[in-house]
């Protein structure tokens, strides 16, 4: 159970260890990496959304001065029917390899076809234009409902729907069908006095990290492959490389550079294997950078979806039944986050009868990648809008309705797990009592909306080692790439154990040869799981230092106590040493002290959030302006409150972008027509009000300090909260994302 | 994007200087190869008539001097070389890397502000300025803001307010904020938002960035 004591470091706001590096421009991100003899790689991408590749002729490009090597799918090992194990479920190796370099078919505009290494990036780009590819262009499938039609063109002739353990006879674009059942859905709706059923459509959006993907690879003559890249997880890059290249894991070292945002999109590899192939062919280090259009067209967006939600409640406000049909676009290869959406959609509520059907559907768009609480935002847009409509219909305050039906400890989710102690009700109560919610709201065309969200968070493996320096500081070595301040939030957990200030910890994020296995920075797991490992490694250090003090004082270890950074003798002998002073005496007591821990904690503890938004609808232009925003969230225990606030604000900003502006706009040929930051508009300073945050702390019983992951859940409520506020403002239910000015004007009947 | 991010007026080519190359003659080099022309920025192609590009003495590369962070760099550039390319990938004539990678290559077309530097005190997208146009001007990158070990007040305030998450857009924001405060000592919140509207942060740290700029303004 979490410790019930006052903390010295946890809950404070020390400055980040990497602050100076990052404000002075010294921090080195993947593209900033230089090494002697560097060649530059460039990827040729398909101009067609769906085409058979008939032939690839590289001879003209090979003859171009400055070109050193060209690779195509033929340079990848034969994937055949092999299955790749990436630690998080089996994947068809062919799908994995084909997404790196297409072998038989190009399945989206921007699909990588070939790559060139040359003496500079311009030459590589020029040579790409000299590669002759013959295509048989096929009709593209660009929308999930269209893709599910029996007559739809097939992306994969061999893909057959896996449904509840059975495999269909005929090929289809539906990769899989999942179902979660609880209670008796028919009986549940029969009990209801009010039933609302609505359909929702969400657009394709991108994670939108500012830093484009990058990788530099080098093969040594001894076969050692080193890859420098910006990634959410160096170890997952290593796993993917070993599968895709069919190369021994012990011969691959991945060096994580600083990373310029990921939000889920920098877990899958794209240019890393390409750089490795080019490096092998040339014997030189090769750097491959994406440009902005490559990122939009060639990397994982989060999927568009079609969602049907039906919910029923009694007239005294009890939810009796909830049903949903979730159809998610996987992109070119199976693997949409529909499973996660299905886990989250009704999770905030205690509903006796639930039926959830999810469909993973391939379409001619880039293979989808995780994006901050993947699947949950799409799902919540549907469910939280219907909840709002039910509350209005029943004339019950929308937050009160959530409290009346809110999930708490002991409630079983439709997908199986039983909640431990969670803080959903507390997050809603905090919103209900917030001055924002109790303030007046009644101007014309102004509206207020609320919505809640759930994300389950994940645990997974993390390793940390700590060495003690003679000046009373520690070096903390970790494998979690730091995307938003985790050097500090992990260091603080070790510092708390050892009774030293956060500033006395020197955290380092190191390569895959230098620390134990550590899963990705994703799933809101890093402060929870790597923090847990830091806590355990610090405990290891503490135990060893107690033994050293006992040796110095010639007493039993049981007679040494450690509290508040001081070792003291408790058998009557007068002896006391601070952590600092004992650190200086390691040489005389047996040598260096190194503590380590590898953990795989099961109790990640789910996160809940409730948001309130005020907005104004411009009746003439259809523009929605956010006026005020408040987000409450159960963080379990906020290690560094500024980072929790920052994560909440960041999630809200992305959620607002998703709700109001962001979408891939495709033409009939399947070309994204807005593959730039000018046309794919992410929120800037001018789009946002200040965002109030309220951190609720219901400690997670699965972590020594009660930490729950915080990074993902804040993106879940915004689209629904904004849609509910638009209804409040103008009396129209928006059921399509984004709620851009043109859709608003259409909904208002003005165009 | 904010209007203030327009490149300063192109007057470098007219200024005398021992390595100054005329922009007009230099651009003639662009048309010498069809492949090169196909991938060179369209703005360049459009700037000169194709016929003219075939005439006269085409220069395909030239050595120019740039003053970056109060230091003179002599670099060889092509007509299409942007200031950003020189900062990040440039090699001076003695073989030393310029290696100022604080300004980031992100969109390469003036959409995001991640490559913002100051040119003669005004914030400029380094991806939107040709290297040749930066001759004769004082270029300050994020690496040049601190004075020795003393950080610029904006840098201090960004750390203090934790106005960064991943930190990738941070150099651009820091330079934009420093430029804003050099022009407007006491900006209002609205002025801060306008001043930084040419920079994007996907981590959404805007509220902390506003706090940092306010704090820096008080200290400057």
């Amino acid at each position: 159970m979490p410790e019930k004591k006052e903390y010295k470091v946890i809950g404070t706001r020390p400055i980040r260890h990497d602050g100076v590096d990052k404000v002075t421009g010294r921090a080195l991100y993947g593209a900033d990496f230089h090494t002697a003899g560097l060649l530059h790689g460039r990827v040729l991408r398909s101009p067609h959304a769906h085409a058979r590749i008939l032939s690839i002729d590289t001879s003209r490009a090979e003859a171009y001065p400055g070109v050193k090597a060209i690779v195509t799918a033929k340079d990848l090992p034969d994937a055949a029917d092999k299955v790749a194990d990436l630690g998080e479920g089996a994947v068809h190796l062919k799908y994995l390899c084909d997404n790196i370099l297409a072998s038989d078919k190009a399945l989206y505009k921007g699909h990588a076809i070939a790559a060139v290494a040359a003496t500079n990036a311009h030459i590589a780009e020029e040579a790409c234009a000299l590669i002759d590819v013959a295509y048989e262009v096929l009709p593209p499938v660009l929308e999930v409902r269209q893709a599910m039609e029996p007559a739809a063109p097939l992306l994969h002739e061999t893909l057959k729907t896996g449904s509840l353990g059975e495999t269909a006879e005929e090929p289809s674009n539906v990769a899989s069908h999942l179902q979660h059942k609880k209670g008796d859905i028919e009986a549940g709706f029969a009990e209801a006095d009010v039933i609302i059923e609505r359909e929702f459509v969400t657009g394709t959006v991108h994670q939108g990290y500012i830093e484009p993907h990058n990788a530099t690879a080098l093969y040594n003559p001894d076969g050692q492959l080193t890859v420098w890249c910006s990634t959410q997880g160096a170890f997952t890059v290593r796993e993917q490389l070993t599968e895709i290249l069919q190369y021994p894991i012990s011969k691959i070292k991945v060096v994580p550079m600083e990373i310029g945002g990921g939000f889920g999109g920098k877990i899958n590899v794209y240019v890393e294997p390409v750089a490795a192939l080019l490096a092998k062919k040339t014997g030189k280090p090769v750097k491959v950078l994406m440009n902005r259009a490559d990122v939009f067209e060639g990397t994982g967006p989060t999927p568009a979806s079609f969602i049907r939600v039906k919910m029923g409640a009694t007239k005294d406000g009890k939810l009796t039944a909830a049903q949903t049909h979730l159809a998610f676009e996987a992109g070119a290869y199976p693997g949409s986050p529909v499973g996660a959406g299905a886990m989250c959609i009704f999770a905030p509520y205690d509903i006796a009868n639930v039926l959830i059907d999810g469909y993973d559907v391939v379409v001619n768009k880039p293979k989808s990648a995780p994006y901050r609480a993947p699947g949950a935002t799409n799902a919540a847009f549907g469910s939280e809008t219907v909840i709002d409509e039910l509350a209005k219909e029943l004339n019950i305050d929308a937050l009160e309705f959530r409290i009346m039906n809110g999930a708490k400890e002991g409630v079983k989710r439709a997908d199986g797990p039983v909640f431990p102690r969670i803080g959903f009700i507390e997050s809603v109560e905090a919103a209900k009592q917030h001055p924002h919610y109790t303030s007046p709201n009644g101007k014309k065309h102004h509206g207020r909306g609320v919505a809640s969200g759930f994300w389950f968070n994940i645990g997974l493996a993390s390793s940390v080692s700590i060495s003690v320096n003679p000046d009373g500081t520690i070096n903390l070595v970790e494998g979690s790439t730091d995307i938003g301040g985790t050097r500090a939030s992990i260091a603080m957990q070790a510092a708390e154990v050892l009774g030293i200030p956060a500033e006395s910890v020197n955290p380092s994020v190191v390569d895959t040869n230098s620390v134990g296995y550590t899963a990705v920075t994703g799933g809101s797991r890093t402060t929870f799981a790597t923090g847990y490992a830091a806590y355990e490694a610090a405990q290891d250090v503490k135990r060893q230092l107690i033994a050293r003090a006992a040796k110095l004082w010639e007493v039993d270890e049981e007679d040494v106590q450690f509290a508040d950074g001081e070792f003291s003798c408790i058998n009557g002998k007068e002896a006391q040493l601070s952590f600092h002073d004992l650190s200086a005496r390691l040489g005389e007591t047996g040598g260096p002290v190194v503590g380590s821990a590898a953990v795989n904690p099961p109790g990640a503890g789910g996160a809940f959030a409730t948001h309130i938004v005020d907005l104004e609808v411009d009746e003439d232009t259809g523009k929605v302006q956010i006026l005020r925003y408040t987000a409450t969230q159960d963080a379990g225990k906020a290690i560094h409150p500024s980072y929790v606030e920052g994560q909440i604000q960041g999630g809200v900003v992305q959620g607002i972008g998703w709700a109001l502006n962001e979408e891939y706009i495709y033409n009939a040929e399947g070309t994204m027509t807005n593959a730039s930051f000018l046309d794919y508009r992410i929120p800037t300073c001018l789009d946002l009000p200040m965002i109030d945050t309220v951190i609720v702390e219901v400690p997670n019983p699965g972590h020594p300090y009660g930490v729950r992951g915080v990074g993902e859940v804040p993106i879940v409520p915004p689209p629904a909260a904004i849609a509910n506020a638009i209804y409040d403002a103008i009396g129209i239910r928006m059921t399509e994302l984004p709620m851009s000015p043109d859709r608003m004007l259409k909904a208002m009947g003005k165009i | 994007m904010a209007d203030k991010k327009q490149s300063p007026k192109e007057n470098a080519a007219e200024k005398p200087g021992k390595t100054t190359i005329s922009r007009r003659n230099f651009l003639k080099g662009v048309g010498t190869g069809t492949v090169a022309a196909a991938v060179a920025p369209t703005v360049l192609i459009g700037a000169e008539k194709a016929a003219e590009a075939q005439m006269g003495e085409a220069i395909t590369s030239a050595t120019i001097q740039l003053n970056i962070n109060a230091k003179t760099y002599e670099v060889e550039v092509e007509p299409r070389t942007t200031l950003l390319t020189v900062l990040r990938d440039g090699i001076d004539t003695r073989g030393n890397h310029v290696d100022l990678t604080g300004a980031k290559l992100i969109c390469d077309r003036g959409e995001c502000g991640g490559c913002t530097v100051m040119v003669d005190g005004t914030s400029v997208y380094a991806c939107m300025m040709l290297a040749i146009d930066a001759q004769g001007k004082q270029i300050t990158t994020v690496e040049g803001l601190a004075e020795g070990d003393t950080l610029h007040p904006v840098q201090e305030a960004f750390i203090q307010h934790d106005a960064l998450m991943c930190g990738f857009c941070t150099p651009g924001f820091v330079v934009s904020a420093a430029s804003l405060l050099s022009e407007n000592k006491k900006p209002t919140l609205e002025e801060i938002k306008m001043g930084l509207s040419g920079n994007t942060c996907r981590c959404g740290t805007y509220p902390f960035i506003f706090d940092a700029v306010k704090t820096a303004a008080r200290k400057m």
Side-chain angles (χ1 to χ4, degrees), chain B residues 57-109:
Chain B
E57 301 226 351
I59 303 166
T60 53
S61 70
T63 301
I64 61 169
Q65 283 188 352
L66 294 177
N67 185 308
I68 309 169
N69 299 334
K71 190 175 158 189
T72 302
Y73 292 83
E74 202 167 85
V75 288
E76 189 172 310
V77 297
E78 293 181 54
R80 60 186 165 185
T81 307
T82 62
L83 173 58
L84 180 61
T85 303
V86 171
L87 296 175
R88 294 185 55 81
D89 299 322
I91 299 174
D92 73 14
T93 47
R94 282 167 298 174
N96 299 317
H97 287 266
V98 177
D99 211 18
L100 294 167
T101 55
K104 303 302 181 199
L105 171 65
I106 300 172
C107 67
D108 213 18
R109 52 163 79 168

Side-chain angles (χ1 to χ4, degrees), chain A residues 84-171:
Chain A
D85 180 7
L86 299 178
E88 292 174 54
V91 188
H92 278 295
L93 185 57
K94 182 174 188 305
Y95 293 157
L96 213 55
C97 291
D98 278 358
N99 199 41
I100 301 304
L101 287 167
S103 60
D104 46 0
K105 279 179 103 179
L107 290 172
Y108 50 95
K109 161 87 162 61
H111 198 157
I113 304 292
V116 178
T119 47
N120 72 44
H122 290 300
I123 292 173
E125 185 169 358
E126 288 155 12
C128 278
L130 298 174
I131 297 174
D132 300 302
V133 186
Y135 295 100
E136 176 196 346
V137 179
L138 302 168
V141 185
L142 298 169
E143 198 271 334
V144 65
R145 283 165 293 179
Q146 179 207 353
M148 292 174 85
E149 294 287 339
L154 291 172
L155 273 75
H156 305 279
E157 283 78 4
T158 55
L159 180 64
K160 293 173 179 172
T161 310
S163 174
L164 317 176
E166 308 263 317
T167 305
E169 302 258 315
E170 295 299 317

